[in-house]
């Protein structure tokens, strides 16, 4: 058993993710009949996001009634102990647009934070049955196997993941300038469409780095935990640790992270660094 899976809370997270995955996998057989609601332009939610989230919350709350919750579809609320220092951060279905289209790239993401610091992270690719887990100080795992970020040293050899701006276009020019420069300086750029899984791929070396602006905490909390425990680095655009708050994320294997951050900072607007 991996040491992340030896944490009692991680066992509950795994149980919650498996329950949600049954809901998601069953629904994936029949995506034409999904009930879809538009939250805002290009931002969709299905009945499955909500059902999966409810299933996750039920299981987590049964085991840890005191803990607070921040979940994409239900928002933030306190547990029985309103003063609890623990908070679950949940994205029940990351990659909803992919899911709606039957595009096989989406995941469940659950993290636990203590006083705002990440302590546990889980990203579950329900289609491939790949369970990524990490506990602070205990390393990161894919199923039972220890994972580490890649050994890639040079940007020219790197494969970089990203998320395109698609809701707010305030920083599109900065984004496109970064994209243009990286297109010429890397082996390739990928936009698979589920940030949590992109980050899990950085943690296990399938990608060498990742950047995206305007993420929400539930998109990245678990994935960042994985990368940190796999020997990688994560930061906001100033190189600081406020990414969960400001939503702007740069992550990667140490060498590629540094080169990527430098390019992003060159093109990034001051507003993005806040
Ligand atoms: C989205 C995905 C996508 C990223 C967006 C997220 P959702 O999450 O992670 O890859 O580019 O920023 O909002 O809405 O599918 O849970
Ligand atoms: Ca998400
Ligand atoms: Ca989601």
């Amino acid at each position: 058993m991996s040491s992340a899976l030896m944490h009692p809370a991680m066992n509950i997270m795994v149980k919650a993710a498996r329950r949600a995955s049954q809901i998601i996998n069953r629904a994936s057989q029949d995506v034409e009949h999904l009930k879809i609601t538009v939250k805002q332009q290009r931002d969709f939610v299905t009945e499955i996001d909500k059902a999966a989230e409810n299933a996750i919350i039920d299981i987590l709350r049964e085991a840890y009634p005191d803990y607070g919750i921040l979940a994409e579809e239900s928002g933030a609320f306190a547990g029985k102990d309103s003063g609890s220092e623990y908070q679950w951060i949940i994205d029940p279905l990351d990659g909803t647009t992919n899911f709606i289209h039957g595009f096989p790239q989406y995941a469940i993401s659950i993290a636990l934070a203590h006083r705002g610091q990440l302590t546990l992270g889980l990203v579950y690719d329900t289609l491939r049955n790949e369970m990524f887990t990490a506990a602070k100080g205990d390393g990161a795992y894919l199923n039972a196997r220890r994972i580490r970020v890649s050994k890639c040293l040079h940007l020219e050899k790197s494969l970089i993941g990203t998320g395109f701006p698609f809701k707010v276009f305030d920083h599109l020019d900065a984004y496109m300038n970064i994209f243009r420069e990286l297109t010429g300086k890397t082996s390739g750029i990928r936009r698979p469409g589920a940030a949590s899984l992109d980050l899990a791929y950085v943690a296990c070396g399938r990608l060498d780095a990742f950047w995206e602006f305007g993420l929400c905490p539930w998109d990245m909390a678990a994935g960042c935990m994985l990368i940190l425990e796999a020997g990688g680095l994560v930061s906001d655009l100033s190189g600081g640790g406020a990414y969960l708050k400001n939503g702007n994320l740069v992550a990667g294997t140490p060498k590629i992270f540094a080169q990527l951050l430098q390019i992003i900072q060159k093109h990034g607007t001051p507003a993005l660094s806040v």
Side-chain angles (χ1 to χ4, degrees):
M1 197 172 13
S2 79
S3 66
L5 290 178
M6 281 156 64
H7 286 255
M10 181 58 82
N11 284 325
I12 301 297
M13 290 159 75
V14 169
K15 185 177 166 196
R18 291 212 186 278
R19 181 77 55 83
S21 80
Q22 289 167 357
I23 297 169
I24 292 169
N25 285 348
R26 203 177 315 124
S28 72
Q29 310 291 320
D30 192 18
V31 284
E32 293 88 57
H33 293 104
L34 282 176
K35 214 166 106 215
I36 301 167
T37 313
V38 182
K39 288 202 262 191
Q40 66 177 89
Q41 223 185 359
R42 283 176 291 278
D43 191 4
F44 308 97
V45 59
T46 72
E47 56 197 315
I48 301 308
D49 298 60
K50 291 178 183 158
E53 183 166 298
N54 290 339
I56 292 168
I57 290 175
D58 282 352
I59 290 173
L60 297 179
R61 293 208 91 174
E62 195 189 331
Y64 295 94
D66 289 348
Y67 289 12
I69 288 185
L70 173 63
E72 179 171 12
E73 312 307 339
S74 320
F77 54 96
K80 271 195 185 154
D81 171 8
S82 55
S84 173
E85 294 174 341
Y86 288 92
Q87 186 184 47
W88 299 110
I89 305 173
I90 305 162
D91 190 336
L93 178 49
D94 184 42
T96 296
T97 302
N98 284 346
F99 177 72
I100 290 168
H101 288 265
F103 187 98
Q105 185 77 0
Y106 43 83
I108 295 162
S109 176
I110 307 173
L112 180 64
H114 179 234
R115 294 185 181 178
Q117 299 297 313
L118 298 170
T119 59
L120 295 174
L122 172 155
V123 175
Y124 184 36
D125 178 340
T126 68
L127 285 169
R128 298 178 184 87
N129 192 25
E130 288 193 325
M131 178 82 73
F132 297 87
T133 55
K136 196 171 183 180
D138 281 341
Y141 293 82
L142 164 50
N143 296 333
R145 190 169 51 82
R146 183 83 192 254
I147 52 172
R148 288 187 178 79
V149 294
S150 83
K151 294 193 169 60
C152 186
L153 297 177
H154 306 289
L155 202 55
E156 311 83 69
K157 294 201 172 143
S158 69
L159 186 63
I160 310 278
T162 187
F164 301 142
F166 65 101
K167 285 183 238 172
V168 180
F169 297 111
D170 299 6
H171 307 294
L172 190 58
D173 287 344
Y175 182 88
M176 292 312 288
N177 290 335
I178 295 162
F179 188 85
R180 188 176 297 110
E181 181 162 352
L182 288 171
T183 302
K185 289 192 170 164
T186 60
S187 282
I189 302 179
R190 300 288 181 267
R191 196 295 188 239
S196 62
L197 213 44
D198 298 340
L199 296 172
Y201 281 19
V202 173
C204 71
R206 294 175 188 167
L207 291 171
D208 302 301
F210 173 85
W211 93 98
E212 183 166 348
F213 307 145
L215 286 167
C216 293
W218 45 80
D219 300 317
M220 60 171 137
C224 288
M225 184 78 227
L226 294 171
I227 293 177
L228 290 169
E229 286 300 321
L233 296 174
V234 295
S235 81
D236 57 22
L237 300 197
S238 64
Y243 46 90
L244 287 177
K245 291 201 176 72
N246 62 34
N248 302 322
L249 184 68
V250 186
T253 188
K255 291 281 181 206
I256 306 301
F257 167 86
Q259 296 166 66
L260 179 60
L261 183 61
Q262 198 184 21
I263 290 174
I264 291 174
Q265 286 182 336
K266 188 167 79 185
H267 297 292
T269 64
L272 269 169
S273 299
V274 174

